[in-house]
Amino acid sequence: MEHINFPVDVISICSASGEIRPLRLRMETEDHKLLRVDIDEIISSKKIQYVGIEAHIFLCRATVREKQWLFELKYTIRSHSWCLMRKVC
């Protein structure tokens, strides 16, 4: 398990009922290149609240450079920001 916890760009959709779902993210690699990650599946999502901050946590699966990634994305409601929390495997 690798804790990353850094901001990423995310393309997401919102349903008519207000549900948000990430589709794609973009992040900078160690060699300062942009990496585009298309999300294959959202395995689970949960709404959390800690220290007065509301957020949604998404457990996602994607294929990146021919490898399967399992990772958590966090969407913070108040700041409208996305963060790659951790790479599970």
Side-chain angles (χ1 to χ4, degrees):
M1 177 170 40
E2 182 180 340
H3 290 274
I4 300 171
N5 204 26
F6 65 85
V8 292
D9 296 327
V10 174
I11 294 176
S12 62
I13 59 171
C14 294
S15 68
S17 63
E19 294 294 318
I20 191 166
R21 191 179 88 189
L23 299 175
R24 178 183 303 153
L25 67 98
R26 185 176 67 177
M27 55 189 266
E28 188 174 340
T29 63
E30 298 84 27
D31 55 353
H32 304 289
K33 294 182 180 176
L34 292 177
L35 175 65
R36 176 181 142 174
V37 177
D38 293 320
I39 297 170
D40 299 329
E41 178 185 7
I42 298 173
I43 297 167
S44 67
S45 67
K46 62 183 175 182
K47 196 176 208 180
I48 62 167
Q49 185 169 3
Y50 56 94
V51 195
I53 299 172
E54 291 181 274
H56 290 275
I57 305 292
F58 298 91
L59 180 61
C60 305
R61 183 184 331 251
T63 304
V64 180
R65 297 178 181 155
E66 300 179 11
K67 294 181 182 177
Q68 286 287 313
W69 277 18
L70 190 62
F71 56 94
E72 286 185 334
L73 279 176
K74 178 177 74 172
Y75 175 69
T76 307
I77 296 170
R78 183 177 293 167
S79 64
H80 304 288
S81 62
W82 289 90
C83 176
L84 179 58
M85 288 183 53
R86 67 185 180 124
K87 183 179 165 192
V88 178
C89 64

